[in-house]
């Protein structure tokens, strides 16, 4: 079978970015849609060059009347290409996308450990990165929430298994063209067409509009933006960590207050001031820290002696005491 330019591109990528090293044992997560079928075909074709041992997993959420047929389709496709496939059926109803995803990743972890796999491989593409960026941007995320889906990350906190996404350099249009070029069968999931879901509206309505009226390459452009933002957030977080260490005094003991040294923070760039203050608030308030909460503390960095904020969720107020911003319970102020 001759290689396509997509085969060559992914082969090159894997040489530069060692996502799935020679001899790795990869567990491929296959839904049966175009992205994961493209992933399966590419890795099966590249397997002889790399000596990987491949297995597959399909999770049946039992969401659709055709989900058992979908699972059979995936199993047959994988096994036809010499990739043993495990189908795992949900034993409970997962009401939301997030719950279903959480279950899926637990399944991946259990199966990967059992099969001694070193990597779990998913079919995420640049288009998924772009959709996630738009989704989070429109919900009002700060830069931290706009970070790109990573090329690789540990499957869970202390897990030796790595999740890798070798298709992040391709758009959904490219995986679709690849599937047509090789006449690959694809299972079309009807719920992907349901515009009742925000993610589907982004994919089916917003992105085509942006492509037509603003930038035909918006898929890849915004995915690249997300990648750049990720590196910038990492840098800012590291710098904020250093500033935090030298400007924040956590309570020394029971009943003691948090203290922030105003002169240290005032001379730092505003972006770092905000990150340090956000970190403090994250530790003292039970609620989600909002933009307004952080800005209240920013204002107190230059406010006169005795100034104070109104209470933050959890009941603490911030009070200016000389060079210090002191966080204490509102009752005692
Ligand atoms: N039912 C499934 N069984 C196995 N793998 C799946 C299944 N659904 C999704 N995947 C894997 O996850 C990848 C991304 O799929 P999709 O974008 O639908 O999931 P998602 O829940 O949005 O994922 P994420 O939150 O990680 O972006 C697929 O390419 C595939 O590798």
């Amino acid at each position: 079978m001759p290689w396509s330019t997509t085969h060559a591109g992914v082969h090159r990528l894997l040489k530069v970015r060692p996502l799935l090293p020679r001899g790795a044992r990869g567990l491929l997560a296959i839904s049966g849609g175009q992205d994961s079928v493209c992933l399966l075909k590419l890795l099966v074709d590249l397997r002889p060059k790399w000596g990987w041992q491949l297995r597959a997993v399909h999770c049946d959420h039992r969401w659709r009347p055709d989900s058992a047929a979908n699972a059979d389709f995936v199993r047959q496709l994988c096994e036809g290409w010499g990739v043993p496939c495990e189908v795992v059926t949900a034993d409970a109803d997962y009401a939301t996308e997030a719950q279903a995803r959480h279950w899926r990743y637990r399944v991946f972890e259990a199966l990967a450990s059992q099969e001694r796999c070193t990597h779990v491989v998913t079919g995420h593409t640049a288009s998924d990165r772009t959709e996630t960026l738009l989704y989070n941007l429109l919900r009002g995320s700060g830069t931290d929430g706009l970070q790109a889906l990573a090329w690789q990350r540990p499957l869970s906190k202390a897990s030796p298994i790595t999740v890798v996404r070798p298709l992040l350099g391709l758009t959904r249009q490219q995986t679709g063209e690849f599937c047509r070029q090789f006449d690959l069968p694809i299972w079309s999931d009807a719920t992907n067409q349901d515009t009742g879901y925000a993610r589907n509206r982004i994919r089916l309505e917003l992105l085509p509009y942006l492509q037509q009226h603003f930038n035909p390459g918006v898929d890849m452009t915004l995915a690249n933006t997300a990648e750049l933002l990720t590196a910038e957030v990492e840098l800012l977080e590291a710098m904020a960590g250093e500033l935090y260490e030298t400007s924040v005094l956590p309570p020394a003991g029971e009943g003691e207050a948090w203290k922030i040294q105003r002169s240290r923070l005032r001379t730092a760039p505003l972006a770092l001031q905000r990150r340090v203050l956000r970190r403090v608030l994250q530790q003292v308030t039970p609620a989600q820290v909002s933009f307004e909460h952080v800005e209240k503390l920013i204002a107190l960095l230059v406010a006169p002696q005795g100034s104070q904020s109104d209470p933050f969720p959890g009941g603490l107020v911030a009070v200016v005491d000389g060079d210090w911003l002191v966080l204490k319970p509102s009752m005692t102020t």
Side-chain angles (χ1 to χ4, degrees):
M1 195 270 337
W3 276 15
S4 64
T5 51
T6 312
H7 286 89
V10 171
H11 181 65
R12 238 184 352 260
L13 170 92
L14 293 176
K15 280 189 176 167
V16 182
R17 227 182 239 285
L19 298 176
L20 201 57
R22 200 164 290 285
R25 292 172 67 90
L27 178 66
L28 314 187
I30 307 297
S31 63
Q34 71 175 48
D35 297 338
S36 57
V37 168
C38 172
L39 173 77
L40 177 65
K41 165 80 174 154
L42 281 168
L43 295 195
V44 164
D45 291 347
L46 297 180
R47 175 169 55 179
K49 281 251 179 233
W50 288 84
W52 299 314
Q53 295 190 46
L54 302 180
R55 313 185 65 84
V57 55
H58 174 82
C59 298
D60 176 359
H61 301 96
R62 295 186 304 152
W63 267 344
R64 291 172 281 121
D66 67 345
S67 67
N70 183 350
D72 278 345
F73 162 82
V74 170
R75 197 198 320 257
Q76 281 175 26
L77 188 64
C78 292
E79 294 186 349
W81 284 338
V83 178
C85 175
E86 186 84 30
V87 170
V88 182
T89 306
D91 51 7
D93 289 332
Y94 297 105
T96 64
E97 281 272 343
Q99 287 171 352
R101 182 177 308 124
H102 184 69
W103 170 70
R104 263 199 321 270
Y105 277 83
R106 271 190 298 139
V107 168
F108 297 165
E109 179 137 37
L111 195 61
S113 309
Q114 183 189 313
E115 300 295 337
R116 291 181 297 110
C117 292
T118 48
H119 296 75
V120 168
V121 193
T122 71
H124 288 98
T125 64
S127 307
D128 291 312
R129 277 184 153 177
T130 293
E131 284 166 18
T132 306
L133 176 80
L134 285 170
Y135 181 75
N136 289 332
L137 184 67
L138 297 173
R139 283 171 59 219
S141 290
T143 7
D144 292 17
L146 302 180
Q147 294 182 71
L149 284 170
W151 288 92
Q152 58 181 336
R153 65 164 173 84
L155 185 48
S156 59
K157 227 175 191 174
S159 176
I161 303 162
T162 310
V163 179
V164 293
R165 299 165 170 144
L167 301 194
L168 284 178
L170 300 176
T171 62
R172 180 165 300 114
Q173 193 184 339
Q174 289 170 310
T175 61
E177 278 161 13
F178 180 87
C179 291
R180 280 190 294 281
Q181 183 181 359
F182 289 93
D183 206 12
L184 303 180
I186 287 162
W187 194 272
S188 60
D189 173 348
T191 56
N192 285 342
Q193 303 305 316
D194 181 350
T195 49
Y197 295 105
R199 286 295 288 246
N200 289 348
R201 288 197 299 281
I202 291 177
R203 193 177 66 254
L204 299 170
E205 296 172 357
L206 181 57
L207 271 173
Y209 183 87
L210 295 176
Q211 276 159 347
Q212 191 182 344
H213 297 286
F214 290 90
N215 174 0
V218 69
D219 255 27
M220 196 48 102
T221 316
L222 290 188
N224 291 342
T225 303
E227 174 117 31
L228 294 178
L229 284 174
T230 305
E232 290 181 13
V233 166
E234 258 169 40
L235 170 69
L236 287 172
E237 272 300 282
M239 293 169 77
E242 285 171 21
L243 184 59
Y244 180 98
E245 293 303 324
T246 56
S247 61
V248 176
L249 284 182
E254 188 82 10
E256 298 281 319
W258 283 81
K259 291 178 164 185
I260 301 157
Q261 194 172 20
R262 301 198 304 157
S263 56
R264 280 286 301 148
L265 274 196
R266 265 200 311 263
T267 52
L270 182 56
L272 296 184
Q273 295 178 4
R274 287 196 172 116
R275 278 177 185 272
V276 169
L277 296 175
R278 175 173 291 276
R279 275 193 196 196
V280 174
L281 287 173
Q282 275 164 345
Q283 295 175 80
V284 302
T285 75
Q288 182 99 346
V289 178
S290 69
F291 174 78
E292 286 76 20
H293 293 149
V294 176
E295 294 313 294
K296 275 185 203 167
L297 288 187
I298 291 280
L300 291 177
L301 293 180
V302 291
Q305 172 71 9
S307 304
Q308 75 172 59
S309 68
D310 45 3
F312 292 99
L316 293 186
V317 291
V319 182
V320 174
D321 183 2
D323 192 23
W324 296 94
L325 197 53
V326 183
L327 291 172
K328 45 186 164 185
S330 52
M331 323 292 254
T332 61
T333 57

